[in-house]
Amino acid sequence: MKNVVISGSGLFTPSETVSNEELVASYNLYVDQFNAEHAQAISRGEVAALEHSSCEFIEKASGIKSRHVLYKEGILDPAIMRPVFARRSEEQLPEMVEMALSAAREAMTQANKTAADIDLIICAASNMQRPYPALSIELQQQLGCRGYAFDMNVACSSATFAISNAVNAIRGGTAKVVLVVNPEFASPQVNYSSRDSHFIFGDVCTATIIEAEQSCNSDNAWRINGMRLKTEFSNNIRCDMGYTEHCLPADPLVPFFKQQGRKVFKELLPIVADVILDEMAAQQLAPEQLKRLWLHQANINMNIFAAKKILGRDPLPEEAPLVLDTYANTASAGSVIAFHKYKQGLQAGDHAILCSFGAGYSVGCLVLQKC
Ligand code: CO8
């Protein structure tokens, strides 16, 4: 079987940030206005009063301190509570393609690859700005790549599932060099007037180049020794926005992400641990051989719990790096951001794990070894 490697990675980070302090201040203003407007109905018990959000809760429960967003305007205005941006024309690039172009260029430079080398592009993310034509095909045109391109969505596991598709395409002979991009434009799906979820997501884009080890001329490449993917249906992380929406009675909550966070925490972690430990066993890999865990970035407590299960002890901060504090949850891009920022300083032969987990449920585990 052909050895396949991740030979480069790239990251696009929007310049605008929203801190917990800013977010909580605007949410609490919204709550005060709501409670004042509905004071009589609240006193009659017809409407439930809203409670304030708190920075302390957010940081303790999730590890998030701040997030990057493409469009800050509107998010912090209690009368708007959503990013404000204009519809782009057919002649303009959609935001997701723009983000992907930037991350892709960095990944290509790292991998020493030009557009002429790439013959498959997979755009894999939790949301696509439009169903068709595929965003990946527009990216293919922008970069000037030949071959083919497609979009795919497995929510938070979109990146790992796309990388495994890339490996299979290379081994099956339908592609030689694959560009995977993960433009996560999450902020439009956040319900900024929900105390439970207003703090969770940020916008970002990651990119990876996947190719046969034989063609690789990168000095920081990672061989993909093992891949294990798992899905199990759950309604506990859900969005119902779809193309049939305009035919149905309007429901103001439909466009938004919603979850039962506690249930997700409890149900998903055992699946994650099983998938990772099973793949380590298949690779005959002992915990002490693992030099780094690039885990999905949804919740600091979840990451520490998963890392403990894998290593059999508390992880050192550098063993399971976190990017949650400044990026928040960036869906499928999270574990790839951790990989991109913290893949330096390891030796040839070192083993590591890159693992996503999230909606579906879905878990994607890649066992990597530094070339
Ligand atoms: N401020 C203050 N207090 C709060 C707040 C707040 N903002 N929110 C809740 N509380 C209160 C609650 O009311 C509750 O109070 P009480 O105990 O009196 O009832 C208390 O805090 C505890 O509430 P929870 O039990 O809800 O809090 P948790 O400790 O469970 O933390 C989390 C909530 C952070 C949401 C946590 O459950 C979590 O992170 N779970 C994991 C979820 C996860 O990993 N989800 C993955 C989702 S991402 C994904 O798969 C991709 C989806 C597609 C992407 C979509 C792009 C937009």
Side-chain angles (χ1 to χ4, degrees), residues 83-342:
V84 171
F85 53 97
R87 187 186 295 279
R88 293 190 176 181
S89 73
E90 284 184 17
E91 284 66 46
Q92 294 172 297
L93 287 184
E95 283 83 352
M96 286 177 67
V97 175
E98 213 168 62
M99 293 162 92
L101 256 179
S102 170
R105 288 194 172 120
E106 185 183 4
M108 287 160 67
T109 305
Q110 260 194 22
N112 285 312
K113 290 286 174 280
T114 67
D117 299 313
I118 292 166
D119 53 1
L120 167 57
I121 298 177
I122 307 176
C123 176
S126 303
N127 289 289
M128 297 299 161
Q129 265 182 287
R130 63 164 189 251
Y132 52 84
L135 296 168
S136 54
I137 302 178
E138 195 167 2
L139 179 63
Q140 178 191 19
Q141 182 208 41
Q142 287 298 312
L143 287 169
C145 299
R146 63 208 160 80
Y148 65 107
F150 63 87
D151 294 352
M152 58 172 273
N153 176 356
V154 200
C156 286
S157 289
S158 297
T160 50
F161 277 50
I163 292 172
S164 80
N165 269 356
V167 172
N168 293 337
I170 292 163
R171 290 196 175 133
T174 53
K176 285 194 166 64
V177 180
V178 185
L179 165 65
V180 171
V181 291
N182 318 106
E184 292 290 1
F185 185 17
S187 52
Q189 220 194 29
V190 176
N191 186 352
Y192 288 101
S193 56
S194 157
R195 180 173 177 254
D196 290 345
S197 61
H198 72 123
F199 56 88
I200 295 181
F201 291 100
D203 300 331
V204 81
C205 181
T206 49
T208 40
I209 300 287
I210 296 97
E211 59 180 310
E213 189 166 359
Q214 244 178 349
S215 70
C216 172
N217 58 352
S218 152
D219 56 10
N220 196 350
W222 287 83
R223 192 177 305 114
I224 303 170
N225 284 346
M227 308 190 287
R228 191 166 292 242
L229 312 179
K230 166 111 182 135
T231 53
E232 205 174 290
F233 185 70
S234 168
N235 279 321
N236 290 332
I237 313 168
R238 192 170 168 117
C239 172
D240 285 301
M241 192 64 181
Y243 80 101
T244 54
E245 207 44 48
H246 68 287
C247 308
L248 301 168
D251 179 339
L253 291 180
V254 157
F256 298 120
F257 159 91
K258 57 188 181 208
Q259 74 166 354
Q260 305 288 329
R262 272 284 154 108
K263 285 191 184 163
V264 174
F265 205 114
K266 263 204 194 136
E267 293 175 5
L268 194 50
L269 274 173
I271 307 174
V272 171
D274 282 352
V275 167
I276 297 178
L277 293 172
D278 287 352
E279 190 51 29
M280 282 167 64
Q283 298 296 322
Q284 298 180 326
L285 207 55
E288 51 276 14
Q289 288 174 276
L290 289 174
K291 294 289 180 278
R292 209 135 294 179
L293 305 172
W294 297 295
L295 299 177
H296 182 57
Q297 307 279 320
N299 181 299
I300 189 173
N301 304 311
M302 251 173 142
N303 284 32
I304 291 170
F305 187 98
K308 264 189 187 171
K309 278 262 175 212
I310 299 161
L311 301 174
R313 58 170 170 80
D314 283 330
L316 300 170
E318 61 272 24
E319 284 178 311
L322 289 166
V323 300
L324 263 171
D325 52 347
T326 52
Y327 281 89
N329 182 341
T330 50
S332 74
S335 54
V336 186
I337 305 175
F339 168 74
H340 177 77
K341 290 177 93 78
Y342 296 102

